[in-house]
Amino acid sequence: VDILPEGLRLNGVATDAAALPAALGGLMQTPGDTVILRGRDAAPLQRVVEVMETLSAAGMTSLVLVE
């Protein structure tokens, strides 16, 4: 998941933040599968944290932040 200052991309496709958990769920076998998050284009840290909180609240337990 690329986290942009004004949006998100899942595997290169623009994705709405509210739809992200469901979109990821369709790609995962279990909620424990690893989700890789990447801040792009100088996305603020708070934006990254918000996405992580959204995914955690949806039950996703293995979030990895990469540079």
Side-chain angles (χ1 to χ4, degrees):
V1 177
D2 290 327
I3 303 169
L4 307 165
E6 298 297 325
L8 300 170
R9 287 190 306 238
L10 175 58
N11 293 334
V13 178
T15 304
D16 183 68
L20 183 61
L24 278 169
L27 299 173
M28 300 169 70
Q29 292 181 6
T30 71
D33 288 351
T34 301
V35 178
I36 299 173
L37 306 171
R38 185 176 337 158
R40 297 293 221 170
D41 302 332
L45 180 58
Q46 184 59 39
R47 176 111 172 97
V48 174
V49 170
E50 289 168 358
V51 171
M52 293 179 79
E53 288 175 342
T54 298
L55 297 177
S56 290
M60 296 175 189
T61 58
S62 183
L63 305 176
V64 175
L65 183 60
V66 298
E67 199 172 322

